[in-house]
Amino acid sequence: MTVLLGTPLPRDAVQLDAPVEEAGTTRRGGAGLHGLDVADIDRAGRLAAMRTGELGSVHSWELVTAVDGPGTRLTLFLNGCPLRCLYCQNPDTFAMKDGVPVTADAVLERLRRYLGVFRATGGGLTISGGEVLMQPAFAARLVRGAKAMGIHTALDTSGYLGAHATDELLADTDLVLLDVKSGDPDTYRRVTGRELEPTLEFGERLARRGDVEVWVRFVLVPGLTDDVDNVAAVARYAASLNEIRPGTVTRVEVLPFHQMGRDKWHELGRTYPLEDTPAPEKELIERVRGQFAAEGLTVY
């Protein structure tokens, strides 16, 4: 259910609703670029503007309630990702070159239109992807502009490129949605094609900072990430961040696998590796949530 406390949405708003406990299972890849001015710029100018953060490669945006952070949020999906997750529901965001050039000013102007909504619901801006930290200068410019308007900010990231996040970027970030895809290095490599350690290091860096809230996200895939020991490793890691700084991880979201991304893989002519993988049974979801709760974590 959406609660906007009487604050009307602009006519061109795109709003998707999802109950909190199903966050992630009903996520889709955005609602296009409607309302964002696309930059008309040549390749050389585009690359220069991206280096300064004036321009980003954008996939889409949407206005959502009950996902991607507190309140009603404008979630901006960027193009470009170093991971190749087997269950990715937005494989069309893998390559930065496939995005559309949009200026930071255009995004901030769009944000300004929803100030009343954000204030009424405690919402704000979430930058997602793809991988937001493929475009750290653009992200930094957006969260700086959002904070100047008093808007809550969040980054949705795997943490794999956490070294790209400057201290200035993190100083303007209120919340990090940290997607810990596995606690076992071999499983992480199987899921993503990359190494686990950079994600762990980034989470620890956030805990040591003392000024960023973290929500840990874990995608539960039967036969891939559901092993008891693998889940236990993620749970211990999340709890360890609270040992570094009590209150770092304020919630864990267990996101049940779904097949909503399958059609996109097919449309792109890609072989979908989890074609026959079912959604997890209720009993499995509860077991995994229980493993996180046993570490003293608040679980959704």
Side-chain angles (χ1 to χ4, degrees):
M1 180 175 64
T2 304
V3 181
L4 293 181
L5 305 182
T7 302
L9 290 169
R11 292 179 184 176
D12 58 353
V14 177
Q15 183 176 324
L16 306 176
D17 303 326
V20 171
E21 66 269 21
E22 294 301 319
T25 66
T26 54
R27 154 66 66 219
R28 68 186 180 93
L33 291 162
H34 178 70
L36 287 182
D37 292 332
V38 176
D40 182 13
I41 188 169
D42 62 28
R43 184 174 184 276
R46 178 176 177 175
L47 292 175
M50 290 184 74
R51 281 193 292 269
T52 64
E54 298 170 85
L55 190 73
S57 178
V58 176
H59 175 272
S60 56
W61 71 279
E62 64 187 18
L63 203 67
V64 295
T65 298
V67 292
D68 298 337
T72 298
R73 309 192 71 79
L74 189 155
T75 299
L76 187 73
F77 296 90
L78 305 186
N79 267 73
C81 185
L83 307 184
R84 293 296 180 265
C85 297
L86 299 182
Y87 50 71
C88 181
Q89 73 176 63
N90 293 317
D92 49 341
T93 65
F94 282 168
M96 197 180 300
K97 66 179 178 59
D98 292 337
V100 175
V102 174
T103 66
D105 287 346
V107 177
L108 294 173
E109 182 56 37
R110 175 59 37 175
L111 273 177
R112 193 170 286 110
R113 294 171 57 87
Y114 302 115
L115 275 172
V117 174
F118 298 148
R119 288 169 179 162
T121 66
L125 169 69
T126 298
I127 312 176
S128 185
E131 169 53 59
V132 56
L133 295 178
M134 285 281 284
Q135 302 185 54
F138 186 58
R141 192 174 288 257
L142 292 179
V143 296
R144 178 86 292 271
K147 294 308 292 181
M149 289 186 271
I151 296 173
H152 183 275
T153 59
L155 303 180
D156 181 8
T157 176
S158 71
Y160 180 75
L161 296 178
H164 289 192
T166 65
D167 288 340
E168 290 76 15
L169 168 58
L170 295 179
D172 288 325
T173 300
D174 296 304
L175 170 67
V176 170
L177 308 174
L178 184 62
D179 188 358
V180 184
K181 301 172 188 294
S182 171
D184 170 67
D186 291 337
T187 303
Y188 192 93
R189 195 177 303 111
R190 180 183 171 200
V191 171
T192 70
R194 298 286 188 171
E195 303 302 316
L196 170 61
E197 192 60 30
T199 292
L200 304 183
E201 291 175 354
F202 183 59
E204 291 164 1
R205 177 184 171 197
L206 295 175
R208 289 193 297 269
R209 283 187 59 86
D211 58 356
V212 182
E213 181 182 2
V214 176
W215 292 5
V216 168
R217 286 177 155 178
F218 174 73
V219 180
L220 174 59
V221 186
L224 183 63
T225 66
D226 60 340
D227 179 76
V228 171
D229 291 340
N230 182 55
V231 175
V234 178
R236 286 195 301 270
Y237 171 71
S240 75
L241 299 184
N242 284 339
E243 293 172 2
I244 295 172
R245 172 172 55 94
T248 296
V249 177
T250 57
R251 67 191 281 168
V252 172
E253 295 181 339
V254 176
L255 309 179
F257 169 76
H258 55 68
Q259 289 282 0
M260 290 178 66
R262 178 170 52 191
D263 289 347
K264 276 193 178 181
W265 285 74
H266 293 170
E267 290 166 7
L268 294 169
R270 295 174 179 268
T271 299
Y272 184 53
L274 301 181
E275 191 78 43
D276 300 320
T277 301
E281 300 286 345
K282 180 179 179 181
E283 293 77 12
L284 176 58
I285 296 171
E286 291 307 311
R287 188 213 86 197
V288 170
R289 286 176 172 160
Q291 286 186 262
F292 282 101
E295 293 288 346
L297 297 158
T298 300
V299 189
Y300 289 85

